């Protein structure tokens, strides 16, 4: 092993407080404790050697043997200096590790028997690697810690003795005394380096953590400082620009508005509270914006402003006459309605609901009501509304929340008593995300609507002064509970003559005005106008007609501007074609000639009545029945019934009773709107089928509507008035209607009745007699017998009908 045997020697002991000396270290110590001074004096007498051992606890003044670590460093005293305060400063140089073997008896100072500790061999490759690792860790440590200077690293790197390296590095670390002592006590070099490596790692981690925390704290501080700085800067800029300081100006403005707004007590206090809240919000905060919008809503909604009603019936009548042609019945009903309102003084009756196809003047009638009452008019469209929130608003916690359509309408009205038109109440969607119709029910209910609650506004709003009018295209889509509150007023659609009058008296003058023209600049010939109605539009109302007239006016305006010399823009039939292109619809008979297998039926759709051509083709085959076109299930039922009837009557009709096995039958209904009155094409299909099977021609001026039983009885249908208008439009002169619908004829306009013959039929046989060109003559002979045969059939039909009970009811309109 080592060169010399370890020696033991007696030596004075100097206990160190809060520091530790390694061999080869040179440093100053200040010594003040009496015992220590005595020890120093003794060693100066001897060989200047002293043992330096650390105390485990720093603050023990008089350490006992137990308080002193047993391993220390033997050091040589290089210098000694008495300081004026009585303490002694010594310069010591560590020489080697030593361990106390025993304390020797001495009453003046500690004297011990110490035993020198040898390090052992110090050169192998692993030690080199360890040294390098220690050095690199130490480098990291230095980078992280501010306490050690980079020069230290340079000095340390020069040490080539591993044990010394460990000692010197340790002395630079800010370790606890206990840890430093551990290094001192580890005499063997390799474990000493390993231990040091551990400490370094530990220290590094701690330092890294420390640094992260520091950075975070720093960043936070920087951010607050930055914000503060920016805000101050903004204030300065605003001041430079002469603006009121941020929020303060805004709040001041709102307060001024509040004082002008004449709000009811409750609303006033609410607004004051909200403005106070707003004031405390930092400028440009999201919540501040929400409060601001809310306050603005409260300030702009009408809470008390009201127009005075003029309930003057004569005046109302005059306005309605002036603005509308025709519509005698609806006008009268409106006047009655207003009269009742006048009597009861409060508009709390049922809600008026105007039902009819588009463009028949529902909106403009409602507008006239508002005008004659001297009230504001607002239209709220309900088409496609499927969410309760659209009626009642979203809570303010939603981003971009707004009041519902009702209160938006009130804001537009600006008074608490407008006439509000709820348009297309039948078009509210039925997929219920929260039920819009129930919200609407609250709106329309006079018992509840004085405290209508909107999710956004959150304060009860009084709708009881509003006069609501609603519109719908069809009655049967109006939610039932709403329907119960309404008084229906049907507007069926216009005859050609009425359209002509409306165009001449209202639509054309209106469009001429709208386009900046005068009446003597544009002239449309009578026959051109009629052609426009007949061949360029096909509708129950006059919406398209109005659009076509607008289009003519645009062209007239353009021509007049382009050529100032031409004073008059004259539209005749020829010019019409030039302006609008070839006619879009064929006016006159649905078919130009009598046809086989093709029959004109009549349908009642959402947009009014319409003609519906049914075609049947027979081909040799194996008995397939094919249906194409827009056939709902309802239509299929009708087709089956028509087919069965034809089979049961084959012999009488002169048809091969096995026709259904030898032929394929194809029934086609060309594209068109879907009828809404349930099955009504039964007799039409049967007629077309029989015509195709018997090769007999159908009289082209005939149209028909009616459902059929298996036995050929004709069942009633809905929408006769609308259907007859459509037939008339299409140039039909004879309409077959179910006998049970005869009483509905009184609703059909006179002008239609003058031009169209209505033939009530009870049985399919009668249909055929009128429909077939060749049977028209034979008809008379059959009529007498038909009554009896019908009686007999009646009882059979009761049974047959029972089987059809699951079909939708007929003729309930
Ligand atoms: P709706 O509300 O039924 O869909 P509108 O009230 O919008 O129909 O009417 C469409 C256009 O036709 C409007 O310009 C309206 O003034 C006009 N109109 C409809 N019916 C008449 C009528 N009987 N007399 C005068 N103008 C009418």
């Amino acid at each position: 092993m080592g060169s010399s045997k370890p020696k033991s020697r007696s030596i004075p002991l100097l206990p160190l407080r809060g520091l530790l000396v390694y061999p080869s270290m040179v440093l100053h110590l200040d010594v003040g404790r009496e015992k220590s001074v005595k020890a120093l004096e003794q060693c100066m007498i001897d060989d200047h050697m002293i043992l330096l051992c650390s105390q485990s606890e720093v603050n023990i003044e008089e350490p006992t043997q137990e308080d002193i670590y047993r391993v220390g460093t033997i050091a040589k005293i290089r210098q000694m200096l008495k300081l004026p305060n009585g303490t002694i400063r010594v310069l010591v140089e560590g020489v080697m590790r030593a361990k106390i073997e025993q304390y020797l008896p001495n009453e003046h100072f500690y004297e011990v028997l110490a035993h020198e500790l040898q390090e052992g061999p110090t050169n192998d490759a692993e030690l080199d690697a360890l040294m390098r690792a220690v050095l690199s860790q130490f480098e990291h440590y230095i980078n992280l810690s501010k306490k050690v200077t980079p020069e230290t690293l340079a000095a340390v790197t020069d040490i080539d003795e591993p044990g010394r390296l460990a000692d010197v590095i340790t002395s630079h670390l800010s370790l606890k005394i206990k840890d430093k002592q551990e290094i001192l006590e580890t005499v063997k070099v390799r474990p000493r380096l390993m231990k040091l490596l551990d400490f370094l790692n530990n220290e590094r981690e701690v330092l890294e953590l420390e640094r992260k925390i520091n950075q975070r704290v720093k960043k936070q501080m920087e951010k607050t400082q930055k914000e503060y700085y920016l805000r101050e800067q903004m204030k300065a800029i605003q001041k430079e620009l002469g603006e009121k300081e941020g929020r303060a100006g805004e709040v001041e403005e709102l307060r001024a508005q509040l004082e002008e707004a004449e709000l009811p007590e409750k609303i006033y206090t609410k607004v004051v509270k909200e403005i106070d809240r707003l004031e405390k919000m930092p400028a440009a905060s999201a919540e501040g914006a929400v409060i601001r919008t809310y306050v603005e809503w409260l300030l702009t909604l009408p809470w008390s402003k009201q127009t005075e009603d003029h309930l003057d019936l004569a005046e109302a009548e005059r306005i309605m006459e002036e603005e509308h042609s025709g519509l005698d019945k609806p006008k009268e009903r409106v006047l009655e309605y207003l009269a009742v309102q006048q009597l009861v003084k409060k508009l709390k009756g049922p809600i008026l609901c105007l039902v009819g196809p588009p463009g028949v003047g529902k909106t403009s009638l409602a507008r006239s009501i508002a005008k004659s009452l001297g009230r504001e008019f607002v239209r709220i469209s309900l088409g496609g509304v499927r969410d309760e929130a659209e009626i009642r608003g979203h809570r303010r916690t939603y981003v971009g929340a707004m009041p519902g359509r009702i209160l938006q309408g009130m804001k537009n009205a600006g008074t608490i008593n407008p006439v509000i038109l709820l348009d297309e109440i039948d078009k509210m969607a039925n997929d219920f995300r929260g039920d819009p119709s129930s919200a609407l029910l609250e709106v329309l209910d006079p018992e509840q609507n004085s405290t209508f609650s909107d999710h956004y506004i959150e304060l009860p709003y009084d709708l009881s002064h509003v006069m609501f009018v609603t519109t719908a295209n069809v009655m049967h889509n109006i939610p039932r509970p709403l329907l119960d509150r309404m008084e229906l007023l049907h507007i069926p659609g216009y005859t050609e003559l009425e359209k002509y009058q409306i165009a001449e008296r209202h639509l054309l003058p209106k469009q001429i005005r709208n386009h900046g023209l005068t009446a003597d600049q544009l002239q449309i010939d009578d026959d051109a106008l009629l052609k426009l109605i007949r061949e360029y539009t096909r509708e129950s109302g006059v919406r398209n007609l109005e659009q076509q007239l607008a289009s003519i006016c645009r062209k007239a305006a353009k021509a007049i501007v382009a050529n100032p010399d031409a004073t008059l823009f004259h539209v005749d039939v020829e010019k019409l074609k030039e302006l609008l292109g070839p006619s879009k619809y064929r006016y006159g008979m649905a078919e130009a000639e009598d046809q086989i297998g093709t029959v004109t039926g009549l349908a009642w759709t959402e947009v009014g009545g319409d003609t519906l051509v049914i075609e049947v083709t027979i081909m040799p085959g194996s008995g397939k029945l094919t249906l194409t076109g827009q056939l709902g299930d309802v239509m299929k039922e009708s087709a089956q019934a028509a087919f069965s009837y034809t089979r049961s009557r084959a012999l009488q009709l002169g048809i091969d009773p096995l026709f259904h096995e030898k032929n394929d039958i194809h029934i086609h209904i060309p594209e068109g709107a879907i009828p809404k009155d349930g099955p009504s094409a039964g007799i039409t299909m049967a007629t077309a089928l029989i015509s195709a099977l018997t090769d007999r021609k159908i009289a082209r001026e005939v149209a028909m509507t009616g459902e059929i039983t298996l036995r050929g009885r004709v069942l009633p249908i809905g929408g006769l008035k609308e259907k007859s208008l459509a037939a008339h439009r299409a140039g039909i002169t004879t309409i077959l209607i179910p006998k049970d619908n005869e009483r509905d004829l009184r609703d059909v306009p006179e002008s239609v009745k003058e031009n169209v013959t209505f033939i009530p039929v009870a049985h399919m046989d009668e249909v055929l007699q009128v429909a077939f060109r060749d049977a028209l003559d034979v008809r008379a002979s059959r009529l007498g017998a038909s009554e009896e045969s019908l009686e007999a059939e009646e009882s059979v039909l009761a049974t047959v009908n029972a089987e059809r009970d699951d079909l939708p009811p007929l003729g309930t309109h």
Side-chain angles (χ1 to χ4, degrees):
M1 269 196 107
S3 49
S4 54
K5 251 184 86 189
K7 290 188 279 181
S8 288
R9 63 198 292 184
S10 71
I11 187 169
L13 167 71
L14 181 66
L16 299 177
R17 287 207 284 184
L19 97 155
L20 200 142
V21 176
Y22 291 100
S24 82
M25 269 172 77
V26 178
L27 78 162
H28 276 110
L29 298 173
D30 285 346
V31 181
R33 287 186 284 192
E34 198 192 330
K35 267 190 169 177
S36 302
V37 172
K38 289 230 168 93
L40 275 178
E41 281 166 355
Q42 179 61 44
C43 93
M44 290 314 282
I45 298 167
D46 299 342
D47 56 357
H48 292 205
M49 301 298 267
I50 193 160
L51 180 62
L52 303 171
C53 284
S54 297
Q55 293 175 205
S56 56
E57 299 290 330
V58 183
N59 32 15
I60 293 174
E61 192 61 34
E62 301 252 316
T64 62
Q65 296 179 18
E66 281 76 49
D67 299 324
I68 301 170
Y69 286 118
R70 293 192 75 83
V71 176
T73 301
I74 293 177
K76 188 166 179 90
I77 311 264
R78 290 282 182 202
Q79 254 179 32
M80 210 170 122
L81 187 69
K82 270 209 158 100
L83 295 179
N85 63 3
T87 59
I88 298 172
R89 173 164 297 174
V90 286
L91 182 69
V92 297
E93 181 189 356
V95 177
M96 67 158 50
R97 287 171 161 78
K99 185 172 183 180
I100 299 171
E101 267 174 4
Q102 69 178 101
Y103 280 82
L104 300 173
N106 186 329
E107 33 184 304
H108 306 293
F109 54 92
Y110 283 123
E111 190 176 9
V112 294
L113 192 64
H115 155 85
E116 295 177 1
L117 296 169
Q118 299 285 355
E119 280 188 359
T122 57
N123 46 352
D124 68 56
E126 202 194 329
L127 276 182
D128 273 355
L130 262 176
M131 278 171 78
R132 240 173 267 160
V134 165
L135 271 172
S136 99
Q137 285 290 350
F138 187 52
E139 195 178 343
H140 279 304
Y141 176 86
I142 289 178
N143 287 340
L144 288 169
S145 158
K146 298 276 138 54
K147 285 173 207 144
V148 186
T149 58
E151 291 82 61
T152 319
L153 182 66
V156 164
T157 318
D158 284 342
I159 302 172
D160 46 11
E161 216 181 296
R164 205 167 142 231
L165 180 76
D167 290 348
V168 174
I169 290 183
T170 312
S171 72
H172 284 297
L173 301 181
S174 40
L175 293 175
K176 293 193 203 91
I177 287 296
K178 175 174 142 286
D179 295 335
K180 288 194 165 176
Q181 178 70 28
E182 230 185 297
I183 294 287
L184 186 70
E185 287 180 11
T186 313
V187 182
K188 292 217 174 104
V189 176
R190 187 178 310 152
R192 197 191 304 167
L193 283 168
M194 303 270 268
K195 200 156 273 171
L196 175 59
L197 208 52
D198 265 2
F199 283 139
L200 277 169
N201 271 332
N202 242 343
E203 280 301 289
R204 213 183 61 164
E205 266 170 38
V206 172
L207 281 174
E208 255 163 20
L209 210 64
E210 212 170 88
R211 196 183 57 161
K212 260 188 213 150
I213 294 172
N214 278 340
Q215 274 175 349
R216 212 172 300 150
V217 171
K218 196 169 151 221
K219 223 186 247 165
Q220 188 57 42
M221 286 196 26
E222 274 170 3
K223 200 175 147 211
T224 6
Q225 263 172 5
K226 191 169 140 199
E227 271 174 17
Y228 171 78
Y229 176 71
L230 286 177
R231 212 167 285 139
E232 287 301 306
Q233 222 171 17
M234 193 164 75
K235 269 192 210 158
I237 292 173
Q238 280 171 342
K239 217 177 238 164
E240 277 305 307
L241 291 174
E243 282 174 24
K244 296 262 165 52
E245 265 186 37
R247 193 60 94 193
E250 189 182 349
V251 163
E252 205 170 284
E253 210 172 281
L254 288 175
R255 290 222 167 95
Q257 279 178 35
L258 170 64
E259 291 318 314
E260 271 172 31
E262 291 178 24
L263 300 182
E265 184 71 31
K266 255 194 196 152
I267 314 300
Y268 183 88
T269 10
K270 175 82 180 171
V271 174
V272 168
K273 229 170 84 192
E274 292 293 324
I275 295 183
D276 287 349
R277 267 183 68 203
L278 178 64
E279 200 168 19
K280 292 190 198 95
M281 295 286 154
S285 77
E287 204 186 341
V290 170
I291 299 177
R292 198 205 151 105
T293 327
Y294 179 57
V295 168
E296 279 170 352
W297 266 100
L298 292 184
L299 288 174
T300 43
L301 270 179
W303 295 97
S304 53
K305 192 175 167 204
Q306 195 166 356
T307 51
E308 181 127 8
D309 279 351
H310 3 116
L311 281 169
D312 179 345
L313 286 188
E315 173 71 2
E317 188 171 357
R318 194 187 62 71
I319 289 174
M320 255 176 307
E321 273 312 322
E322 194 178 286
E323 294 184 345
H324 298 94
S325 316
L327 294 177
D328 292 339
K329 221 160 122 190
K331 281 184 205 159
E332 206 179 300
R333 285 281 300 282
V334 168
L335 288 177
E336 283 166 16
Y337 183 83
L338 293 179
V340 173
Q341 303 304 338
Q342 186 171 14
L343 284 181
V344 298
K345 282 287 182 286
K346 187 114 175 113
L347 292 159
K348 263 204 175 164
I351 312 288
L352 206 56
C353 178
L354 307 170
V355 184
V360 291
K362 300 185 294 295
T363 310
S364 78
L365 207 56
R367 190 171 271 127
S368 295
I369 294 177
K371 190 168 167 192
S372 59
L373 286 169
R375 291 183 174 213
E376 295 295 328
F377 177 77
V378 180
R379 179 175 162 274
I380 297 176
S381 171
L382 296 177
V385 168
R386 52 183 63 221
D387 195 341
E388 191 197 2
E390 292 193 50
I391 305 286
R392 231 191 245 291
H394 283 288
R395 299 197 183 281
R396 262 176 289 146
T397 43
Y398 280 82
V399 176
M402 283 244 280
R405 294 194 187 195
I406 300 295
L407 288 197
Q408 289 183 30
M410 292 310 291
K411 180 182 166 187
N412 289 343
T415 61
I416 60 164
N417 64 336
V419 171
I420 290 189
L421 181 73
L422 298 171
D423 213 3
E424 303 197 309
I425 200 165
D426 56 333
K427 294 284 192 305
M428 275 191 310
N430 294 335
D431 83 27
F432 293 90
R433 299 177 215 167
D435 183 354
S437 68
S438 79
L440 206 56
L441 208 57
E442 190 185 323
V443 171
L444 297 179
D445 183 355
E447 303 296 321
Q448 296 183 54
N449 68 8
S450 59
T451 55
F452 174 69
S453 69
D454 182 281
H455 291 326
Y456 180 86
I457 295 297
E458 276 181 353
L459 296 163
Y461 189 88
D462 185 358
L463 291 171
S464 65
H465 305 279
V466 177
M467 176 172 177
F468 288 102
V469 179
T470 62
T471 80
N473 285 149
V474 287
M475 187 186 84
H476 64 96
N477 282 346
I478 303 175
R480 185 78 219 185
L482 288 174
L483 195 59
D484 289 344
R485 301 203 178 275
M486 297 198 282
E487 186 175 332
L488 299 184
L489 211 171
H490 290 277
I491 308 182
Y494 296 119
T495 63
E496 201 166 78
L497 181 67
E498 285 170 324
K499 284 186 188 178
Y500 187 89
Q501 287 168 346
I502 293 171
E504 193 177 37
R505 286 188 210 154
H506 301 280
L507 304 181
L508 188 55
K510 191 159 83 187
Q511 291 308 324
I512 286 178
R513 258 198 321 277
N514 288 354
H515 287 81
L517 300 168
T518 56
D520 34 67
Q521 282 176 309
L522 172 65
Q523 188 196 326
I524 301 180
D525 284 355
D526 291 354
D527 52 352
L529 186 53
L530 194 62
K531 194 176 168 70
L532 182 67
I533 294 168
R534 286 182 169 172
E535 297 180 23
Y536 290 85
T537 67
R538 190 170 196 176
E539 57 179 345
S540 304
V542 292
R543 197 167 280 177
N544 284 333
L545 181 57
E546 190 172 24
Q547 283 163 4
Q548 297 288 3
L549 287 171
S551 152
I552 291 177
C553 287
R554 272 198 302 280
K555 286 172 175 148
K558 198 175 145 208
I560 288 171
V561 171
N563 181 7
D565 297 339
T567 44
L568 178 70
F569 192 78
H570 179 209
V571 181
D572 56 15
V573 172
E574 280 309 303
K575 187 82 177 170
L576 193 69
K577 222 181 205 162
E578 193 185 306
L579 293 175
L580 302 178
S583 52
K584 296 193 179 103
Y585 305 101
R586 192 145 49 95
Y587 176 78
M589 314 255 174
E591 301 293 339
E593 287 173 22
D594 291 348
Q595 299 275 331
I596 292 171
T598 299
V599 181
T600 306
L602 295 172
W604 183 28
T605 70
E606 301 266 317
V607 294
D610 204 354
T611 55
L612 176 100
V613 176
I614 293 182
E615 301 167 0
V616 174
T617 315
I618 308 284
M619 295 150 286
S622 56
K624 261 190 294 179
L625 179 62
T626 318
L627 299 141
T628 56
Q630 287 211 328
L631 291 157
D633 287 339
V634 165
M635 283 285 211
K636 285 180 192 154
E637 299 272 356
S638 300
Q640 287 293 353
F643 186 70
S644 300
Y645 164 78
T646 310
R647 273 181 64 189
S648 69
R649 279 293 177 126
L651 274 180
Q652 289 96 317
L653 292 166
I655 300 172
D656 179 352
L658 295 177
F659 76 92
H660 57 285
E661 289 175 8
K662 299 176 185 163
N663 296 297
D664 286 345
I665 296 164
H666 182 179
I667 303 181
H668 178 68
I669 302 179
E671 293 292 299
I674 297 169
K676 62 166 180 146
D677 61 334
S680 71
I683 62 169
T684 323
M685 286 199 241
T687 308
L689 182 59
I690 294 165
S691 158
L693 285 167
T694 56
D695 250 351
R696 289 158 82 190
K697 285 186 174 163
I698 304 292
R700 66 186 189 284
E701 71 272 23
V702 173
M704 58 186 69
T705 178
E707 193 42 25
I708 188 178
T709 68
L710 297 175
R711 294 295 174 129
R713 199 162 80 91
V714 179
L715 301 176
I717 46 79
L720 182 65
K721 187 168 40 176
E722 287 81 1
K723 286 175 173 176
S724 65
L725 285 171
H728 180 45
R729 269 205 297 279
I732 296 290
T733 55
T734 304
I735 304 179
L736 300 181
I737 62 167
K739 195 158 180 61
D740 290 347
N741 284 108
E742 217 173 343
R743 64 192 140 88
D744 297 334
L745 280 173
R746 52 167 195 245
D747 295 335
V748 175
E750 281 310 319
S751 64
V752 174
K753 279 192 242 179
E754 279 165 20
N755 296 300
V756 178
T757 316
F758 289 86
I759 303 180
V761 288
H763 194 272
M764 193 58 212
D765 292 352
E766 296 166 64
V767 175
L768 296 179
Q769 278 151 22
V770 180
F772 287 144
R773 182 63 75 203
D774 58 13
L776 284 171
D777 320 323
V778 196
R779 194 174 152 229
S781 65
R782 167 71 192 158
L783 269 180
S786 68
E787 295 295 324
E788 296 158 34
S789 60
L790 271 179
E791 300 275 314
E793 232 166 51
E794 217 61 0
S795 63
V796 185
L797 282 172
T799 345
V800 179
N801 275 339
E803 294 163 21
R804 293 175 54 105
D805 266 358
D806 45 356
L807 284 180
L810 296 165
T812 47
H813 298 281

